Amino acid sequence: MTLTLISSIDTRGTARVAGAPVLRVHEPALGDSLNRFTYSLPTPLRMAVTQRLAMATRAHWVKRLWRADATLWTGADEGNWLGWLTTLRQPRRMTEALARRCADLCCNGASDVVLLGMGGASLGAEVLVSILGVAQGGLRVHVLDTTDSAQIRTVLDRIDLHCTLFIVASKSGTTLESRMLADYFHERLCAELGETEAGKRFIAITDPGTPLESHARESGYAEVFAGEPSVGGRNSVLTPFGLVTLSLLGHDPVRFLHAARPMLRACALRDPAANPGVFLGALVGEAALCGRDKATVLATPGLAPFGAWLEQLLAESTGKHGRGVIPVDREPAGERDDYGEDRLFIALLEPGEAGLALRSRAIRLAEAGHPVVMFELADPQRLGQEFLRWEVATAVAGAILGINPFDQPDVEAAKLRARALAEAWRKDGNQVQPEPVLREGQLAFYGSTSGGGSAAELLAHHFVSLRGRGYGAVLAYIARNRANEGRLEQLRRLLRDASGCATVGGFGPRYLHSSGQLHKGGPAGGVFLMITAEPSAPEKIARQGTDFGMIQAAQALGDFEELRARGRPCLRVHITGDLHAGLAQLAHALHEGLSQVWHRAEALA
C-alpha cells in the first residue's frame, strides 16, 4: 500500500503534493483495476483506526470473515448470511443463462418493466436503473416501492399494460406491499387480457420454497428467478435481485460482475490495512465509537442514487441495541461551518465538472478537520466494486460495534402494529383516529402533550431538544416525487440550519424497510416529525378486500405508535386539503417556530 499526501487541487482538479496532508490515497497493489479511494482523518480517529487494524491483524479478522466465523460478531447466526462473499465466484454459465432468459423476455414485445419490491429487493435494482440507465435493446424499468395511491397512478400513467412486464421481488415471498401491488396490477391485467395471459406478464424473484414461488408457478408466471438463501436482502444486489433488472435494462451482467471482481480479490487480502473493505469498515466503525456516527453522503448527480442503497445497508445493519451508524442521505448541502463534530463525510465522485466541484468541497471539509472518505468511479460499470466494498465494510463495522450486522430485530414491531390497525379498521368499516392536540389551517397535530397554542410554538417545543449530537428525521407518507422531495429537503434544511444537527428523511412505507430499524433500535437522540395526508381516490385491491389508502394510514400510525412506545420523540402532522399548500404551511410554521426558539436560546446564552 502506498500513501500520497495531498493538500489541495488546482483548477483542473490535479492533486498537488504538499507538506500539510489533507487526503491520503488508499491503494492496494492491484493497479488501476480498483476505483480510487482517498481519505482524510483527524489525528484521534486516525490513531484509533491504526490501532484497530493492528488488532484485526493479530485476531485474523480477514481470515475469519472469509471463513464465515460467527465469533467475529456475536457468535449467533452470522455465518449463515455471508453468501454474498462468494456470489461472484458462481459459474459464469449461470449468469449467462440468466442474461439469455432476460433477453428472451425483452424480445416478447415489452417496452417497460415495473419492479414491485421493498427494501433490499428493490433498492439495489433502483440504483442500477438510475445510474446505468437503459442500454440498446433494453426495457424501461420503473421501481414501485410504495402503498401511496398517487405514486401508483403515476407509474400506471407512464406505461401501456399491453407492453409491460411486472417483477414481483421478495426474498421471503410474504412482503405485504409487494403482494398488494402484484394483486393490484394482476387484476388490471386480467380485465384487459384475461387471467391466463395476465400471468405471463409477471416474473418473480424470490428464495426457493417461498409462498411467492408457489403462487408464481400456480399463476403461470413467465419466469421464477431463485434468490440465494444465504444472502440477506440488503446484500442481494449482485444476485438475481439486481442482475435480472440489470439484464432487462440491456446490460451484460457477466461484464458487470467481471468489473467487480478486482474488489473481491482486494477484499480477500490478509493485511487489514491493505484490504479496502476492512480498512473502510475499521474507519466507519471507529468513527462511530468516536462520536462521528452521522455518515453523510455527498454525491455528484450521476451517483446520488447510490445513497439510498447505502442508507439501508448502514442503517439496517448497524442500528440496533442502542448503537449504530446513522446514514445521512440527500441532506441539502451546507458550508463546512454548518456541520458539527459528529459527521463522517462520504463523497461519491464521477468524472467531469461536477466531480471537480465536489472534490473541492470535500477538501474544504477535510481542511476544517472533518473526516472525509472519497470514492471516484471513472466508469459506471465499476459500480459493483462499491457494492462489495461497502458490504465488507459494514460487516467489519458491525464487528467493531459488537452487533450482528445481518439481523433486523426491531423491524417487525411496526409491521405488527400496522397489521392490527388495518384489521381493526376493516372490521369497524372506518378508520378511528384520536383527537388532535392542535388544529391550525390545514394542519392537525398528534403526539405532543404541550408546547403552546400555535403550530409554530408546538413545532418549536418538539424540536427544542435537538441541539447537540442528535438528529432530526422528517418522515412522509405521501407520494415520492420531485416536488415532495423538494419540500422534505426544505424542512430538513430548516432543521439543520437552526440546530446544527444532522437530518434524515424518508417516504413511507419505503423507509420502514430501510432506516426503520435504526429509528427504533439505533442510537438515541432522534427527534421525529411524521407527515400524513388524506389520500385522493385510494386505489382498491379486490382480492385483498381493502385499498392502499387504508394500508398506508395503518403503516404510518403503526410506526408512529411504535416510535413513541420506545421513547422516541415523534410528532405527527396530518394535512387535509391540497397537499402542496399544506406542506407550504408546515414549512412556514417550522421556520417561524425554530427562529423563535433558537433566538431565545442565543439570548439566554
Side-chain angles (χ1 to χ4, degrees):
M1 178 180 67
T2 59
L3 295 179
T4 303
L5 305 187
I6 304 170
S7 66
S8 60
I9 57 173
D10 62 23
T11 55
R12 296 167 298 176
T14 303
R16 294 202 303 267
V17 178
V22 170
L23 297 176
R24 296 172 182 255
V25 180
H26 190 268
E27 197 170 28
L30 292 173
D32 295 328
S33 59
L34 292 181
N35 296 334
R36 185 178 173 88
F37 168 36
T38 56
Y39 64 94
S40 174
L41 306 179
T43 298
L45 178 54
R46 176 172 53 80
M47 293 175 64
V49 171
T50 300
Q51 292 170 2
R52 178 65 67 176
L53 292 170
M55 186 277 286
T57 300
R58 295 191 301 271
H60 308 290
W61 274 24
V62 177
K63 182 179 180 180
R64 292 163 65 192
L65 171 70
W66 281 88
R67 286 190 174 180
D69 181 356
T71 64
L72 183 56
W73 297 280
T74 70
D77 68 341
E78 292 92 340
N80 298 333
W81 297 101
L82 288 159
W84 48 272
L85 281 171
T86 57
T87 52
L88 288 188
R89 295 178 174 177
Q90 68 182 2
R92 178 176 176 141
R93 69 177 185 277
M94 295 175 63
T95 307
E96 290 175 337
L98 180 149
R100 285 195 300 271
R101 182 62 184 121
C102 289
D104 291 342
L105 292 167
C106 288
C107 294
N108 285 342
S111 60
D112 292 83
V113 176
V114 180
L115 172 59
L116 313 174
M118 301 298 297
S122 61
L123 283 170
E126 183 180 63
V127 171
L128 298 172
V129 172
S130 301
I131 294 180
L132 297 181
V134 183
Q136 185 174 4
L139 308 180
R140 294 186 298 269
V141 178
H142 315 265
V143 177
L144 197 54
D145 56 353
T146 187
T147 51
D148 184 84
S149 294
Q151 193 171 333
I152 294 167
R153 284 195 294 271
T154 296
V155 171
L156 192 60
D157 290 342
R158 290 175 178 170
I159 61 174
D160 180 347
L161 284 174
H162 294 80
C163 305
T164 301
L165 293 171
F166 293 88
I167 302 174
V168 188
S170 169
K171 275 193 65 67
S172 68
T174 60
T175 307
L176 170 68
E177 297 90 340
S178 302
R179 188 171 70 247
M180 290 185 65
L181 288 164
D183 285 347
Y184 171 80
F185 284 105
H186 187 266
E187 289 171 9
R188 285 188 165 264
L189 279 168
C190 285
E192 294 270 347
L193 308 172
E195 187 168 352
T196 301
E197 189 63 29
K200 298 176 184 178
R201 304 303 177 92
F202 282 82
I203 301 164
I205 310 173
T206 189
D207 283 358
T210 67
L212 174 57
E213 181 191 31
S214 300
H215 172 74
R217 298 198 186 282
E218 292 168 1
S219 302
Y221 277 26
E223 188 59 77
V224 178
F225 293 97
E228 170 51 57
S230 65
V231 180
R234 54 188 176 274
N235 294 90
S236 66
V237 63
L238 299 181
T239 74
F241 283 93
L243 298 180
V244 169
T245 295
L246 184 74
S247 299
L248 292 174
L249 285 167
H251 296 279
D252 181 0
V254 175
R255 178 190 171 199
F256 188 79
L257 294 181
H258 180 76
R261 284 195 173 94
M263 183 61 71
L264 186 73
R265 292 193 293 271
C267 287
L269 294 173
R270 291 297 176 91
D271 178 6
N275 185 309
V278 175
F279 181 89
L280 177 61
L283 193 160
V284 172
E286 290 299 327
L289 292 182
C290 291
R292 297 274 188 176
D293 61 348
K294 312 304 188 304
T296 304
V297 179
L298 310 173
T300 51
L303 295 177
F306 187 82
W309 177 85
L310 183 57
E311 178 183 47
Q312 186 201 20
L313 183 70
L314 290 173
E316 199 165 71
S317 298
T318 72
K320 56 201 73 170
H321 308 305
R323 285 160 272 176
V325 178
I326 300 166
V328 180
D329 182 38
R330 293 188 178 271
E331 185 180 61
E335 298 302 321
R336 61 187 188 182
D337 293 336
D338 292 328
Y339 301 111
E341 295 183 357
D342 57 352
R343 301 273 190 159
L344 165 67
F345 289 97
I346 301 164
L348 307 171
L349 284 72
E350 57 191 321
E353 293 296 323
L356 292 178
L358 182 53
R359 181 196 299 273
S360 297
R361 184 175 168 219
I363 287 178
R364 290 195 301 272
L365 291 167
E367 289 173 338
H370 293 292
V372 174
V373 293
M374 188 158 56
F375 307 87
E376 301 176 55
L377 276 73
D379 181 356
Q381 290 293 331
R382 286 188 178 185
L383 187 61
Q385 291 191 17
E386 297 312 316
F387 289 132
L388 276 170
R389 188 204 307 264
W390 277 102
E391 286 172 344
V392 173
T394 303
V396 171
I400 292 171
L401 294 173
I403 50 93
N404 179 349
F406 307 113
D407 68 356
Q408 44 281 333
D410 302 297
V411 166
E412 193 63 24
K415 294 180 183 178
L416 291 173
R417 287 182 183 269
R419 283 196 286 268
L421 284 167
E423 185 60 30
W425 290 345
R426 278 198 197 99
K427 290 180 178 178
D428 293 342
N430 66 322
Q431 299 178 26
V432 180
Q433 296 282 359
E435 280 298 310
V437 296
L438 175 70
R439 291 186 187 273
E440 184 172 296
Q442 293 181 240
L443 310 180
F445 292 89
Y446 301 85
S448 178
T449 57
S450 60
S454 71
E457 292 171 338
L458 188 62
L459 288 162
H461 181 268
H462 182 63
F463 285 109
V464 71
S465 65
L466 193 57
R467 274 194 167 180
R469 305 184 70 84
Y471 66 96
V474 182
L475 311 173
Y477 284 80
I478 55 179
R480 182 168 64 96
N481 55 42
R482 187 169 298 178
N484 290 341
E485 285 174 344
R487 285 297 190 188
L488 259 64
E489 289 176 5
Q490 179 188 18
L491 296 172
R492 291 176 65 183
R493 183 189 293 275
L494 288 170
L495 286 173
R496 197 272 316 281
D497 290 353
S499 68
C501 287
T503 66
V504 300
F507 288 86
R510 172 185 167 102
Y511 77 81
L512 292 174
H513 298 259
S514 179
S515 54
Q517 166 65 41
L518 173 82
H519 296 164
K520 290 176 276 291
V527 181
F528 299 84
L529 176 64
M530 185 176 291
I531 302 169
T532 56
E534 293 295 329
S536 57
E539 297 292 322
K540 294 179 171 55
I541 314 101
R543 181 172 179 173
Q544 298 280 343
T546 187
D547 62 66
F548 283 107
M550 177 186 289
I551 296 300
Q552 186 185 43
Q555 289 173 318
L557 192 52
D559 195 47
F560 173 71
E561 291 179 350
E562 186 62 29
L563 285 167
R564 288 176 57 79
R566 291 170 180 258
R568 310 297 199 189
C570 187
L571 179 67
R572 181 168 72 95
V573 55
H574 187 74
I575 298 173
T576 57
D578 182 74
L579 176 62
H580 298 295
L583 289 171
Q585 183 189 348
L586 176 61
H588 177 77
L590 182 63
H591 174 70
E592 182 181 351
L594 294 177
S595 299
Q596 292 174 0
V597 72
W598 302 138
H599 177 74
R600 288 197 298 268
E602 289 170 359
L604 291 172

